[in-house]
Amino acid sequence: MPRFIVMRGVHHKFRDWVGERASLGAHKDNDIVIEGDPGVSRWHCTISRRSGRYVVKDRGSRRGTFLNGTRIEESELTYGDRLLLGETVVIFGSSRGEDRSAQRLTNALILQEINKELNTPTSVDSLLELIMDTAIQLMQAERGFLILVQGDQLEFRVARNIASDSIKSPEFKISNKVIRTVVKTGSPILTSNAQQDLKEMKSIAALELRSLLCVPLRGRDKRHVLGTLYLDSQARDSSFDHAGKDLLMAFSDQAAIAIENARLARAEKQREAMLSELRVASRIQLALLPREDPEIPGMQISGHMKTAHEVGGDYFDYIWGPTQDDQRNLYIAIGDVSGKGVPAGLVMVMARSILRSLVARNPRPSGMLREANRLLKQDLKPGMFMSMLLITLDGPTGRLLLAGCGHERPLVYRAATRKVERVDLGGLVLGVVADIGPYLAEERLNLEPGDQLFLYTDGVTEAMDVDHKPFGIERVEDLLRHHGTQPPAKLVEAFLDALEFHSGGADQHDDITMIAIRRLS
């Protein structure tokens, strides 16, 4: 005997065939009343039995009757046919247990309609509720629980009864042993006589359960169990049989894929939101970097930063001090914040603001760095710090005053000897102790005509090739030795080319910042 499955979205109901004729429509006097669908006419269509055949006939409905996607006036029906009335799907199926192959076809059609709804974009929480409500409807269970696995823990995400009411404290109302067994084995547990079959489980006896079905939510590879669907009833329900188990297993596989898709979509959405924020932050950060290299008599200066991520923790700056005796001091800063991304970028912005505010108050680099450390220490989280070099220079004489806080050692190319010297400043990074005064080191340096000072962050020395071998300080010194006679901008360009060749396309995980200062002949 035929059975009608009336579906709108995942919500469905069964109507068994009665008599020789069945009418479908929105009016309450129809044999099958379709409510809440504006696309269904009052008297939409009829299905009649004629000499053992079943025939559907449209009754002049406004939007028509569609059989398997084709609009019809009258047509013969067979098991598995799909009627569309407005937005409501009516599947012409077989009665439960009448014909196993016809029943499997009917179940497949039900799952096909449900799958469309499961893969409609939605939030993970809404999807889980939809999955739970659908499973309860499919099995006509009294209660249902959707549990996800988080590490070794079970996370009860949805707990419902057949009226779609939430169940409070669900973990105390079902058998955790059944759930953990299904998670461990990846196989379902079914019983229509739980008191006898699972009598060793005290929770089953206490809840007076008779029918129970728990199936795994298996990922795409079928080996990874995301969680379980657990359904039970105190009544002996015919839905809790092997056919019902097969149906729920097929549904749970669809549901698991939908959960994975929703998680991926959520992760992608979060990633896009983060990238959008990073792009905005990157534009702000880049706007705070020097827009052009400074011009100072007797000197050439060039700086460049290349970030490995959208927002970097490297920093360089040119800061003009106040005019004194018709002259202005130029401060050159380079630094590196621990970590990457937005937090490091924010520390970089803080350091920039602090240094620029201190120029008029502490003309010596060491004094500025000591005060900058005091201010940064108040706001930096434990574990965050910043290395820095701060330099003042006098162009006409080529004299420089350097102060260091744990930054990479500056290198000097000497034009007269064509050799490279290391300047050991040492010092302690900013943000670790309240007062770095005892650890600060200051060094005076004279550049002769043609000499060039090269400042850099560890992104230069630690740039990796495809075999994870770093660029190294020796290569930096060799490059400076071979290109030290070049103008600063050309020297920086030579380093960028060498670093790109060394990396060979390998992803870089640190920012690259360089400043070259050359005294003119």
Side-chain angles (χ1 to χ4, degrees), residues 139-421:
M139 300 302 299
Q140 289 299 292
E142 291 181 0
R143 306 187 312 163
F145 304 82
L146 192 155
I147 303 101
L148 296 182
V149 179
Q150 299 291 340
D152 294 331
Q153 302 299 314
L154 299 177
E155 183 182 358
F156 287 77
R157 294 298 300 270
V158 187
R160 292 272 214 269
N161 59 26
I162 197 167
S164 296
D165 297 325
S166 296
I167 298 173
K168 305 300 181 183
S169 301
E171 63 271 22
F172 301 115
K173 292 181 167 49
I174 64 175
S175 172
N176 281 16
K177 187 173 182 180
V178 168
I179 296 168
R180 291 193 179 278
T181 301
V182 171
V183 169
K184 182 178 180 180
T185 64
S187 300
I189 290 179
L190 165 70
T191 177
S192 56
N193 188 9
Q195 294 300 313
Q196 181 62 35
D197 297 341
L198 304 174
K199 60 185 178 181
E200 74 279 2
M201 299 183 185
K202 296 180 179 179
S203 57
I204 300 296
L207 292 168
E208 299 181 357
L209 298 176
R210 291 187 179 275
S211 301
L212 182 151
L213 177 56
C214 185
V215 300
L217 290 162
R218 301 178 299 181
R220 282 181 171 82
D221 61 3
K222 305 304 180 188
R223 292 175 296 180
H224 176 55
V225 177
L226 306 179
T228 67
L229 287 175
Y230 175 108
L231 303 168
D232 63 26
S233 175
Q234 291 182 330
R236 290 187 182 273
D237 195 301
S238 59
S239 295
F240 285 77
D241 56 15
H242 288 288
K245 179 193 71 176
D246 292 343
L247 176 61
L248 195 64
M249 279 292 291
F251 169 70
S252 70
D253 286 343
Q254 289 183 347
I257 292 173
I259 291 171
E260 288 183 328
N261 290 341
R263 285 175 168 175
L264 289 172
R266 180 177 64 182
E268 180 62 20
K269 187 176 181 180
Q270 291 172 342
R271 190 184 75 85
E272 285 298 323
M274 182 180 297
L275 286 176
S276 178
E277 292 177 2
L278 288 174
R279 283 190 285 267
V280 172
S282 179
R283 287 196 292 270
I284 294 173
Q285 181 190 17
L286 292 175
L288 296 176
L289 294 176
R291 297 184 181 180
E292 56 186 9
D293 293 320
E295 294 183 4
I296 186 168
M299 291 285 184
Q300 285 181 322
I301 302 171
S302 183
H304 180 83
M305 176 192 289
K306 179 182 179 182
T307 59
H309 298 267
E310 292 286 343
V311 179
D314 277 13
Y315 162 66
F316 83 97
D317 203 1
Y318 310 127
I319 309 171
W320 288 102
T323 302
Q324 294 180 348
D325 300 327
D326 297 327
Q327 291 187 346
R328 298 176 69 195
N329 283 338
L330 175 65
Y331 295 83
I332 299 174
I334 185 170
D336 187 2
V337 183
S338 62
K340 302 291 178 289
V342 173
L346 291 175
V347 175
M348 170 265 186
V349 173
M350 289 169 56
R352 176 186 184 276
S353 300
I354 289 171
L355 286 182
R356 286 175 170 260
S357 69
L358 293 174
V359 165
R361 295 162 48 191
N362 294 286
R364 291 183 68 90
S366 58
M368 290 176 63
L369 291 178
R370 187 172 187 174
E371 181 64 8
N373 174 77
R374 186 185 69 81
L375 296 172
L376 283 173
K377 182 67 173 66
Q378 298 172 6
D379 295 322
L380 290 189
K381 293 181 180 180
M384 288 203 77
F385 55 85
M386 183 177 189
S387 68
M388 186 173 290
L389 279 172
L390 189 60
I391 301 171
T392 58
L393 61 85
D394 180 57
T397 64
R399 297 194 186 106
L400 291 82
L401 182 61
L402 298 81
C405 295
H407 196 76
E408 306 300 309
R409 289 173 293 189
L411 301 175
V412 182
Y413 170 77
R414 296 297 185 183
T417 61
R418 296 186 178 182
K419 292 183 178 179
V420 173
E421 300 174 0

Side-chain angles (χ1 to χ4, degrees), residues 415-440:
T417 61
R418 296 186 178 182
K419 292 183 178 179
V420 173
E421 300 174 0
R422 299 181 183 181
V423 181
D424 292 315
L425 285 171
L428 185 66
V429 292
L430 304 173
V432 175
V433 298
D435 183 12
I436 61 168
Y439 307 97
L440 269 171

